[in-house]
Amino acid sequence: MTLEIWITFVSVVFIFAIIPGPTVILVLGQAISYGKKSVIPLVSGVLIGDFVAMTLSLIGLGAVLATSATLFLILKWFGVGYLVYLGIKAWREIPERSLPSMSAPTISKANMFRSSFLVTALNPKDIVFFVAFLPQFVSPEVAAAPQLLILMVTFLGVVSITITSFALFAGAVRQKIQSFHARRRLNKLGGGAMFGAAAFASTMQRS
């Protein structure tokens, strides 16, 4: 793989990664609701979810999703329903009144990881995107496997930087909020962001 192709790939992935979609909005919403402690599990879930989505694409599920309207809709509406569930949970979360300083609502890191993993890995649009996108940067003149490995590692590296930045920013915003009413509104903002992610995901159509 030439340096020029690799740099082009990095540029395209960076633009793809910063465009607000279900995963980005989920991470922002969760980080706003639960603070900086959510960064590592959320980012880990996104990276492993993207790895699973890319793997599924390369073994053929992307092609199946591109032709099967039923399977695409099943995965899409499962993701929409899960985002709505997370939004309701964050919306109804009540922060502690008695603490003199801000504390985030209690949620296990495993639940944070699971939420970002499921939304990322089961996003049918991403799976179709990978199967159509990655091969464009693979040269047929040399072995494909090493090139695909480079592209996958590069993709995960760029996504880790962008998603971590989003999560840290949202977590820092929460860290500066001290009053109970402000934290309550912040929880609702996080829940609203996840409702927005669900609405966005519901509009996805097969390419």
Side-chain angles (χ1 to χ4, degrees):
M1 180 177 297
T2 66
L3 181 62
E4 290 79 7
I5 292 178
W6 183 80
I7 292 176
T8 302
F9 179 77
V10 170
S11 302
V12 173
V13 171
F14 178 77
I15 295 172
F16 171 79
I18 63 174
I19 295 174
T23 296
V24 170
I25 300 174
L26 168 74
V27 169
L28 288 172
Q30 291 279 59
I32 286 174
S33 295
Y34 303 112
K36 289 185 176 181
K37 70 177 183 179
S38 66
V39 173
I40 292 178
L42 286 174
V43 173
S44 300
V46 170
L47 292 180
I48 296 179
D50 272 329
F51 176 78
V52 169
M54 283 189 286
T55 302
L56 291 175
S57 297
L58 295 178
I59 64 175
L61 182 57
V64 174
L65 282 171
T67 58
S68 173
T70 301
L71 182 56
F72 186 94
L73 287 175
I74 289 173
L75 286 179
K76 181 178 85 168
W77 288 110
F78 176 84
V80 170
Y82 189 66
L83 285 166
V84 171
Y85 162 76
L86 293 174
I88 293 173
K89 186 176 180 181
W91 185 275
R92 298 176 63 183
E93 196 84 53
I94 299 177
E96 296 286 343
R97 285 181 177 272
S98 58
L99 296 181
S101 60
M102 189 279 298
S103 67
T106 301
I107 184 175
S108 72
K109 293 182 178 181
N111 286 338
M112 297 181 201
F113 171 86
R114 182 179 61 198
S115 64
S116 61
F117 169 77
L118 287 176
V119 169
T120 304
L122 297 180
N123 185 343
K125 198 71 171 180
D126 283 355
I127 297 175
V128 174
F129 172 82
F130 287 135
V131 80
F133 179 66
L134 292 182
Q136 297 184 41
F137 292 87
V138 175
S139 171
E141 300 175 356
V142 293
Q147 297 180 78
L148 288 172
L149 181 60
I150 292 172
L151 294 175
M152 291 174 71
V153 172
T154 300
F155 184 94
L156 294 176
V158 174
V159 168
S160 68
I161 294 172
T162 57
I163 290 295
T164 300
S165 300
F166 281 127
L168 286 173
F169 171 76
V173 169
R174 180 178 183 90
Q175 203 68 31
K176 295 181 181 298
I177 304 299
Q178 299 294 323
S179 74
F180 170 82
H181 292 293
R183 284 183 281 135
R184 186 79 175 99
R185 287 193 294 270
L186 206 56
N187 285 350
K188 291 185 179 297
L189 177 61
M194 281 175 267
F195 291 144
F200 182 91
S202 70
T203 64
M204 294 190 305
Q205 304 293 327
R206 286 194 306 142
S207 300

